[in-house]
Amino acid sequence: MAKLYINEKNQKGHINAELYGNFSEHLGRCIYEGLFVGEDSEIPNTKGMRNDVVAALREMKLPVLRWPGGCFADEYHWKDGIGPKETRKKMVNTHWGGVTEDNSFGTHEFFELCEQIGCKTYINGNVGSGSVQEMSEWVEYMTFDGESPLSELRKANGREKAWKIDYFGVGNENWGCGGNMTPSYYANLYRRYQTYVRNYDPNHPISKICGGPNVDDTYWTEEVLKTCFENAPKHVHGFMDGLSMHYYVHPGCWENKGSATQFDEKTWYQTLAKALYIETLIHQHSAILDQYDPEKKIGLICDEWGTWFDCEPGTNPGFLYQQNTMRDALVAGLSLNIFNKNCDRVKMANIAQLVNVLQAVILTDGPKMLLTPTYHVFHMYKYHQDAMLVDSYLEGVRTIGEEKEVMVPNLQESVSIDQDGIITITINNLSLEESENIEVSFTELSPSKVTAAILTNKMNEYNTFENPDNVKEVVFEEFKVTDKGLSFIIPACSVVQFRVK
Ligand code: AHR
């Protein structure tokens, strides 16, 4: 038996809605087919955007979307993606399958998509192969409302009013695909490029994201921060609002990541142990950030995370298409609880990627669409967005798994309270065999209204276009309201959500 103590009176910090963000790159079938089919498509669409996908993302309450990459961002030249579609310049997508990119989805289409979804915008600029002028003109084209050659060009292309950019990334993975730079070289470029990311709208300043480390590369974090803070006025806090970090979970080695659907119990625990490791990474990089930014003005931005397995047999290896099982659901559930619990420093997270790529929330096949187990977790967790993290403690957690390096806790949770005083509890049972009896107690609250949902199945079950509801969020009714809180049995291999008033 485990006990979950919740001190709803102790609010520990604001959970930015952006922790539930996503990422869409010009990669495989994410943008083309997955999100954008063009106005002439037989697939129902609005201005080229798939109606089914947009409706699902609205229902999931997607708060922010990152675009156009990833590695693609540092090869993207924005002017190729504006103006009449017939005359847009084509390019080779060298990173992702060597396919021809026709640039029919560009700046105007991205903002249209975000408007339809109702989400914030996160644009990633090109440092690797682009100039300062190109980046600065892109920002002017998008956000300047006065009269200038670039705002006139935007108007000539059909958009009168300036758009709003919420976040702007200055380069991507510049230690690797974004130019193979050293940290101090990149940091100097960052200082220079970000200077020309102008705030044309003083009422809506752009949050600037500096390219941060890969996984545990604390040398990168330290060197970049050192250079960015060198002789910088205190109030500009290193010229950045956020520092990114990328971390992908794969149970095997990079060359052999393993199948997304065919795996054994040991691999299950190994994957979940690797998912939990993101909390160590957050603490490592946060400790360095704390030295430069003790007031926590700079957010740690986990703008690429999630599972990365071998792509589905028979699909283009450059398209990174993978299936999504209960294992992905648990990786999502654990990671989101960790982001919630570290909301003092983690200000945005963008799972990779939105549709048809890596740990997608949606898969499509022609006109068909399915929601993955990961989608259902995001849907169940959406109530944490913009809520306050509250103090919670699980007593009686056991360590389970198979060998030393694949041991994990059997239970993991996070708890928040929203503006209406409704408490959301999200709790995961990582065990493949054992359900667990849980007694929940609140400090003061006596629950008067409780609803709950559950996602559960066998570890490698997933949804197919023939059986799209095999793994699905359903109402959970097997709980009792007690004097002090709640009592329930959480089944093995499950994600459970409670809403308590
Ligand atoms: O998400 C796929 C790729 O992973 C991105 O393009 C890149 O930034 C990372 O290496």
Side-chain angles (χ1 to χ4, degrees):
M1 210 224 342
K3 286 187 175 174
L4 172 57
Y5 296 99
I6 298 175
N7 180 358
E8 70 280 10
K9 294 283 141 196
N10 185 5
Q11 302 191 1
K12 300 179 87 177
H14 176 248
I15 298 173
N16 255 13
E18 283 88 330
L19 298 190
Y20 292 80
N22 217 303
F23 169 37
S24 59
E25 180 167 10
H26 288 242
L27 195 179
R29 298 187 300 111
C30 182
I31 300 277
Y32 301 109
E33 287 188 44
L35 291 158
F36 179 73
V37 288
E39 290 183 55
D40 298 334
S41 172
E42 284 176 5
I43 298 173
N45 70 84
T46 303
K47 298 188 181 168
M49 312 301 156
R50 288 182 72 126
N51 291 345
D52 53 355
V53 172
V54 168
L57 295 175
R58 288 181 70 86
E59 170 61 29
M60 189 185 82
K61 210 170 160 221
L62 176 66
V64 62
L65 187 59
R66 177 176 182 237
W67 172 85
C71 295
F72 183 80
D74 280 288
E75 271 194 319
Y76 182 62
H77 300 288
W78 68 272
K79 281 190 182 159
D80 298 344
I82 56 168
K85 288 203 165 50
E86 322 72 72
T87 55
R88 290 190 191 177
K89 190 174 153 192
K90 295 186 170 59
M91 66 178 282
V92 184
N93 192 335
T94 53
H95 280 293
W96 307 120
V99 293
T100 301
E101 161 67 56
D102 71 1
N103 276 310
S104 54
F105 188 97
T107 305
H108 291 249
E109 290 75 20
F110 175 67
F111 281 101
E112 173 63 34
L113 175 65
C114 291
E115 270 168 26
Q116 288 189 25
I117 296 170
C119 70
K120 290 187 176 174
T121 55
Y122 177 7
I123 299 230
N124 212 116
N126 178 349
V127 170
S129 71
S131 66
V132 181
Q133 181 180 359
E134 183 182 8
M135 187 180 284
S136 126
E137 288 186 347
W138 195 13
V139 173
E140 183 181 328
Y141 182 89
M142 294 186 278
T143 60
F144 184 57
D145 234 347
E147 195 183 320
S148 81
L150 286 152
S151 63
E152 294 310 310
L153 182 59
R154 184 190 70 235
K155 290 174 194 169
N157 285 330
R159 173 72 186 195
E160 190 65 27
K161 257 179 71 61
W163 293 290
K164 293 190 192 313
I165 300 176
D166 297 291
Y167 298 91
F168 194 92
V170 180
N172 168 73
E173 296 195 352
N174 301 92
W175 37 262
C177 66
N180 291 307
M181 301 173 192
T182 64
S184 61
Y185 180 72
Y186 167 72
N188 277 302
L189 285 186
Y190 174 79
R191 288 178 70 133
R192 179 168 166 233
Y193 275 64
Q194 69 77 34
T195 306
Y196 303 94
V197 176
R198 303 285 189 202
N199 275 319
Y200 292 105
D201 179 354
N203 296 320
H204 198 90
I206 298 168
S207 290
K208 295 176 194 174
I209 312 297
C210 176
N214 189 31
V215 194
D216 59 352
D217 188 354
T218 47
Y219 175 70
W220 179 276
T221 303
E222 174 66 47
E223 289 296 303
V224 165
L225 290 174
K226 189 166 82 191
T227 305
C228 287
F229 275 80
E230 191 179 325
N231 289 330
K234 197 169 179 298
H235 71 275
V236 303
H237 37 91
F239 303 101
M240 65 184 80
D241 300 290
L243 181 77
S244 70
M245 180 190 81
H246 290 181
Y247 174 57
Y248 286 100
V249 170
H250 49 81
C253 58
W254 182 250
E255 293 72 29
N256 181 12
K257 301 180 193 72
S259 162
T261 53
Q262 308 298 311
F263 54 89
D264 57 17
E265 295 193 359
K266 179 175 176 191
T267 313
W268 162 271
Y269 289 114
Q270 203 168 28
T271 312
L272 300 190
K274 285 201 169 183
L276 290 164
Y277 177 57
I278 200 168
E279 188 153 35
T280 303
L281 296 174
I282 290 170
H283 291 165
Q284 271 179 353
H285 296 293
S286 297
I288 303 172
L289 274 163
D290 285 348
Q291 293 182 344
Y292 290 88
D293 173 41
E295 291 169 343
K296 297 194 192 322
K297 299 263 188 222
I298 300 173
L300 186 63
I301 307 296
C302 302
D303 58 8
E304 286 188 34
W305 69 273
T307 57
W308 190 326
F309 302 122
D310 292 341
C311 61
E312 279 302 291
T315 63
N316 186 330
F319 282 13
L320 308 185
Y321 177 81
Q322 65 189 39
Q323 253 296 354
N324 198 293
T325 65
M326 272 307 293
R327 179 174 58 160
D328 294 83
L330 266 291
V331 169
L334 296 174
S335 306
L336 293 170
N337 278 343
I338 289 170
F339 297 147
N340 286 348
K341 289 199 160 188
N342 290 278
C343 65
D344 59 331
R345 185 58 90 177
V346 182
K347 298 296 174 188
M348 175 159 61
N350 309 72
I351 190 172
Q353 299 192 8
L354 194 55
V355 190
N356 292 331
V357 171
L358 298 176
Q359 195 178 346
V361 294
I362 290 174
L363 301 178
T364 67
D365 179 13
K368 296 184 204 153
M369 176 196 89
L370 66 78
L371 308 175
T372 66
T374 299
Y375 175 97
H376 292 293
V377 172
F378 273 77
H379 189 261
M380 290 161 74
Y381 276 56
K382 66 182 176 180
Y383 305 99
H384 287 304
Q385 292 186 29
D386 267 330
M388 295 297 289
L389 179 74
V390 301
D391 201 11
S392 61
Y393 179 72
L394 262 169
E395 187 183 86
V397 174
R398 287 178 292 109
T399 304
I400 55 167
E402 299 217 334
E403 287 166 22
K404 202 164 172 261
E405 77 273 22
V406 293
M407 300 302 276
V408 293
N410 65 328
L411 300 169
Q412 186 247 29
E413 94 303 345
S414 76
V415 183
S416 71
I417 186 162
D418 71 12
Q419 282 183 340
D420 300 322
I422 301 176
I423 291 172
T424 298
I425 306 168
T426 45
I427 181 160
N428 299 294
N429 187 347
L430 291 71
S431 171
L432 286 171
E433 283 103 32
E434 292 184 51
S435 58
E436 192 73 27
N437 207 325
I438 300 183
E439 298 285 337
V440 181
S441 63
F442 298 97
T443 300
E444 281 183 6
L445 181 85
S446 299
S448 57
K449 188 164 179 235
V450 183
T451 61
I454 185 167
L455 186 75
T456 189
N457 209 316
K458 299 210 179 73
M459 67 177 183
N460 49 8
E461 289 292 328
Y462 55 95
N463 294 331
T464 63
F465 294 101
E466 292 70 42
N467 189 7
D469 291 333
N470 183 38
V471 184
K472 197 183 172 198
E473 170 189 347
V474 292
V475 173
F476 182 61
E477 286 173 327
E478 288 90 67
F479 62 85
K480 283 193 201 115
V481 176
T482 62
D483 287 351
K484 287 194 133 194
L486 304 166
S487 158
F488 62 99
I489 295 171
I490 185 169
C493 190
S494 64
V495 179
V496 172
Q497 170 249 63
F498 282 94
R499 302 265 293 145
V500 185
K501 178 100 185 163

